[in-house]
Amino acid sequence: IIQKIQAAEDADKSSDDFFLETFSSIDAATQCVYGVLKDNKNKRVVVVFRGSTDLSTRDWQTNLSAQLEGMKTPKLLKDGLEGELKKRVLVHRGFYEYIFDNKRAKGDQRYDMILNDIKPFVEQGYKIYVTGHSLGAALSSLLAFKLAGSDKSWIPKPVTCISYASPMVGTDGFRTAFTLLEQMGHIRYLRVNNDADTVPTIPPFSLGLKRRLMKHVGINLRLYDDSFILSHPNSNGWGFVNAVRNSVLKPVWSVLKYHSLQTHEERINAQKETLQNLHLNDLYDDGKLLGKEFNRDEL
């Protein structure tokens, strides 16, 4: 993703809007890799997570560590939740530990490093965007959730997350908390995936003694060759349909094709004229898409 942004910038020699401020690959064998970009044209600070690489890194161990971990509920959410959700939400252990509790990390956790990296560039009027593909998409989901629920005054709201081919990252309680952040106007999330991709269907349930069903969050942009579908967990009548779409009944023999960022890009470009007229704020105001019970505070 960073390479594509840089290529777009390099193609326009007169442009001086994008700056790669940080690229953290130190200890890449045991910690996730991310970059921070500053977009002066659109007034955005963008955090980009790298997806899975080869077996020389901890990426695949992270992907397969699908037990549940209690993630402390962000402070801005506690008054709006009940029971155990006031204290914690349950998420994918591997993804959580990669950012927040990596016992192999030497020094600060990635989350603390990211906060230190982005804070100097969040100027007046700037917004925070988070993105990534595959493993990077899962990490971007958790980071955006944490930032959006933070009471740190310098973090502007809403935080926007745009992910590609994300696996599932949390249980139903995580979805409840995430949806509340959406309703509060603290987060906007567009989860993009190809319909035939297997990765967004996993893990369907957590590992360990107490198994829980895993859930997706945010607005889903599901891409086909020449069309797309938008949906949200609150979408009226879409619950069963989305469950079928998110099942593992996919052409696993074509996973590399449909999971690749290139295929996402090709399908987006094929429908560019229609998609470029869609705006996240408008989608969050769409009662049919978000459901009648979804009442969002002003962004």
Side-chain angles (χ1 to χ4, degrees), residues 28-127:
T30 57
Q31 298 199 65
C32 62
V33 174
Y34 70 92
V36 175
L37 299 105
K38 186 178 181 184
D39 176 358
N40 287 331
K41 180 179 180 180
N42 297 297
K43 293 189 175 183
R44 297 171 181 169
V45 176
V46 185
V47 181
V48 184
F49 285 101
R50 187 187 71 182
S52 302
T53 56
D54 55 47
L55 296 178
S56 66
T57 71
R58 194 186 167 196
D59 291 350
W60 285 99
Q61 179 184 340
T62 295
N63 291 330
L64 297 174
S65 298
Q67 299 89 348
L68 292 176
E69 186 69 35
M71 179 179 182
K72 186 180 295 185
T73 301
K75 292 182 179 180
L76 295 182
L77 280 175
K78 291 183 178 181
D79 291 341
L81 297 172
E82 299 179 351
E84 286 297 310
L85 292 183
K86 284 182 171 291
K87 301 176 182 178
R88 58 96 182 107
V89 293
L90 297 177
V91 297
H92 186 291
R93 177 178 296 172
F95 301 149
Y96 173 81
E97 290 184 345
Y98 225 11
I99 307 179
F100 302 104
D101 191 23
N102 188 344
K103 294 175 177 58
R104 299 184 187 181
K106 298 176 182 178
D108 291 340
Q109 294 293 329
R110 280 298 197 241
Y111 175 67
D112 299 311
M113 294 174 65
I114 291 170
L115 288 182
N116 291 333
D117 285 337
I118 65 176
K119 186 175 181 179
F121 306 113
V122 182
E123 302 173 11
Q124 182 68 31
Y126 277 68
K127 296 292 186 181

Side-chain angles (χ1 to χ4, degrees), residues 122-162:
V122 182
E123 302 173 11
Q124 182 68 31
Y126 277 68
K127 296 292 186 181
I128 296 174
Y129 279 64
V130 191
T131 188
H133 170 255
S134 193
L135 167 62
L139 300 179
S140 69
S141 304
L142 290 180
L143 177 64
F145 174 74
K146 182 75 169 180
L147 293 175
S150 172
D151 63 354
K152 290 179 171 60
S153 60
W154 63 268
I155 297 178
K157 308 298 190 313
V159 173
T160 300
C161 182
I162 301 176

Side-chain angles (χ1 to χ4, degrees), residues 8 41 164 221 223-228 263-279:
K41 180 179 180 180
Y164 298 88
L221 172 60
L223 300 169
Y224 298 83
D225 283 332
D226 55 2
S227 63
F228 64 87
T263 304
H264 286 77
E265 184 177 18
E266 290 171 352
R267 288 182 167 184
I268 288 172
N269 286 338
Q271 301 164 77
K272 183 176 180 180
E273 186 173 344
T274 302
L275 290 173
Q276 68 184 2
N277 290 319
L278 298 178
H279 301 278

Side-chain angles (χ1 to χ4, degrees), residues 13 20 46 71 121 123 164 178 190 194 228 238 240 248 279:
K13 300 300 182 182
L20 179 59
V46 185
M71 179 179 182
F121 306 113
E123 302 173 11
Y164 298 88
F178 199 100
L190 184 66
N194 286 318
F228 64 87
W238 284 98
F240 175 76
V248 294
H279 301 278

Side-chain angles (χ1 to χ4, degrees), residues 204-227:
F205 49 81
S206 63
L207 300 180
L209 295 177
K210 293 184 178 180
R211 296 187 179 185
R212 304 279 187 91
L213 290 175
M214 302 294 278
K215 303 288 185 178
H216 273 306
V217 294
I219 294 175
N220 179 214
L221 172 60
R222 187 178 297 267
L223 300 169
Y224 298 83
D225 283 332
D226 55 2
S227 63

